[in-house]
Amino acid sequence: MENVLRIDTVSEHDAFYHRENLHPLVSVIDFTGTTPKVYASRMNFGFYAVYLKDVTCGDVKYGRHTYDYQDRTLLFVAPGQIIHVDINEDYRPQGYALLFHPDLIRGTALGKHIDDYTFFSYESKEALHLSEKERKIVLDCFEKIRYELEQGTDKHSRLLISSNIELFLNYCTRFYDRQYITRQDTNKAILEKFEVLLKDYFQSDKPENTGLPTVSYCADQLHLSANYFGDLIKKETGKTPTEYIHLKVIALAKQKILDPAKSISEIAFELGFKYPQHFTRFFKKTTGLAPNDYRSLN
């Protein structure tokens, strides 16, 4: 396996593309006319990176999947993630990148909720595809950040730069909401597969052997990142995947409790609870009744 090229700082990344660095913690790069120092196939960054690709630029593996970039695509990379780039040496990159180090936003409003931008943990096949109008908004945000970098550093710089990055990310949140809407058929198909997955899971011996299904397990079975899966289910149903799973468990529990031949302990184990008392607490918290009380009333 090839070594991973580690680029820890924004300054190193600028130097990698032979670009002047205007700020050690943040940069906006126009890739026109650039070539990297080396064609590393696997890279790991110590900072956040957002790439706007304007043309097809070869296959990029990000996580477990391969994604062929097309026009007007935004890809988000969080610190510590590895990307694999498969391009030939005749390639000349086109597009833009926004890079910012965690130290830039530490203690700022953005730093306090950067984890809310869950698309930094999406798989590459879940990248954001922009309309031409959205692309112009993205470039306008980049230009505002670039303008601040060119003014030199003063007491206002950090706040203005982090605020503009936050504005950009908020726009991306809106654009992703639009993308979810325009992909409703695909999303409904995923929801249907989720339903089938849960049904098959509880009809197997998995609950007794491995416990309740986890969100990460379900996302993995559906070939999605956990964050993208969670956001999709929330937008489609109004519930988190965990809440959705728990509702299915309660529905199954109510059916099983009505069978007088089954003890509450048996039901608990069949549903994936390690201890019957955990199931009893879970059921009462959700329904307001203990399992035995529910059985008595029905």
Side-chain angles (χ1 to χ4, degrees):
M1 183 178 291
E2 295 181 57
N3 293 330
V4 176
L5 175 63
R6 173 76 182 181
I7 302 179
D8 289 309
T9 68
V10 172
S11 300
E12 289 173 353
H13 189 281
D14 282 355
F16 185 74
Y17 282 98
H18 309 285
R19 282 294 190 252
E20 178 188 5
N21 177 254
L22 300 177
H23 192 295
L25 299 179
V26 59
S27 181
V28 175
I29 292 181
D30 178 349
F31 286 111
T32 303
T34 66
T35 54
K37 283 184 175 179
V38 294
Y39 283 87
S41 61
R42 301 172 74 233
M43 294 187 289
N44 182 304
F45 301 145
F47 44 85
Y48 294 93
V50 184
Y51 291 99
L52 171 60
K53 293 298 182 181
D54 282 338
V55 295
T56 301
C57 71
D59 290 338
V60 174
K61 294 179 182 177
Y62 179 80
R64 296 163 297 169
H65 300 280
T66 298
Y67 180 77
D68 186 28
Y69 280 121
Q70 300 298 330
D71 290 358
R72 302 192 302 267
T73 300
L74 276 179
L75 179 67
F76 302 83
V77 183
Q81 292 174 328
I82 293 176
I83 60 173
H84 180 130
V85 184
D86 183 15
I87 54 180
N88 63 62
E89 294 190 10
D90 294 328
Y91 166 71
R92 295 296 180 268
Q94 292 186 43
Y96 302 84
L98 166 65
L99 319 165
F100 61 98
H101 197 277
D103 287 348
L104 176 79
I105 61 173
R106 188 165 286 119
T108 67
L110 175 58
K112 292 174 183 176
H113 67 94
I114 186 68
D115 291 340
D116 292 345
Y117 299 105
T118 50
F119 40 76
F120 275 106
S121 296
Y122 286 1
E123 296 282 359
S124 62
K125 64 189 178 71
E126 301 152 358
L128 179 58
H129 301 278
L130 303 172
S131 68
E132 181 57 34
K133 183 179 291 185
E134 290 168 346
R135 176 183 176 274
K136 289 178 180 177
I137 292 173
V138 167
L139 290 178
D140 183 61
C141 290
F142 284 4
E143 183 59 33
K144 285 183 171 66
I145 296 167
R146 180 77 183 182
Y147 171 82
E148 286 302 323
L149 294 176
E150 291 174 346
Q151 302 313 299
T153 303
D154 61 27
K155 64 180 182 180
H156 305 289
S157 300
R158 186 162 174 261
L159 175 60
L160 288 168
I161 291 170
S162 63
S163 295
N164 277 297
I165 293 173
E166 185 173 12
L167 175 65
F168 161 68
L169 295 177
N170 287 337
Y171 271 119
C172 292
T173 300
R174 170 187 278 179
F175 299 157
Y176 257 117
D177 284 347
R178 183 269 309 155
Q179 183 161 293
Y180 280 117
I181 292 170
T182 57
R183 294 184 176 184
Q184 280 188 334
D185 290 344
T186 300
N187 296 345
K188 289 185 186 304
I190 292 171
L191 185 58
E192 290 172 2
K193 290 179 181 178
F194 183 32
E195 287 273 2
V196 172
L197 176 66
L198 292 177
K199 180 181 178 181
D200 292 345
Y201 188 93
F202 285 108
Q203 287 180 346
S204 71
D205 58 0
K206 286 186 175 70
E208 293 180 74
N209 293 331
T210 61
L212 293 171
T214 64
V215 173
S216 59
Y217 167 82
C218 294
D220 188 64
Q221 293 299 303
L222 296 171
H223 308 295
L224 298 169
S225 68
N227 277 345
Y228 186 87
F229 173 64
D231 291 344
L232 186 153
I233 297 301
K234 178 74 172 178
K235 286 178 171 60
E236 286 294 315
T237 69
K239 295 176 173 49
T240 67
T242 299
E243 290 169 340
Y244 197 88
I245 291 169
H246 286 176
L247 286 175
K248 293 297 179 183
V249 172
I250 287 295
L252 284 171
K254 288 178 176 179
Q255 293 176 13
K256 290 176 180 290
I257 288 170
L258 295 180
D259 181 356
K262 289 182 180 290
S263 70
I264 300 303
S265 293
E266 286 178 302
I267 294 170
F269 293 133
E270 287 177 5
L271 290 173
F273 290 87
K274 190 174 182 179
Y275 303 105
Q277 57 267 36
H278 290 175
F279 167 65
T280 297
R281 284 199 297 269
F282 170 78
F283 190 88
K284 186 173 182 179
K285 181 180 179 181
T286 306
T287 67
L289 294 170
N292 280 322
D293 294 335
Y294 182 84
R295 174 175 280 173
S296 298
L297 289 172
N298 292 275

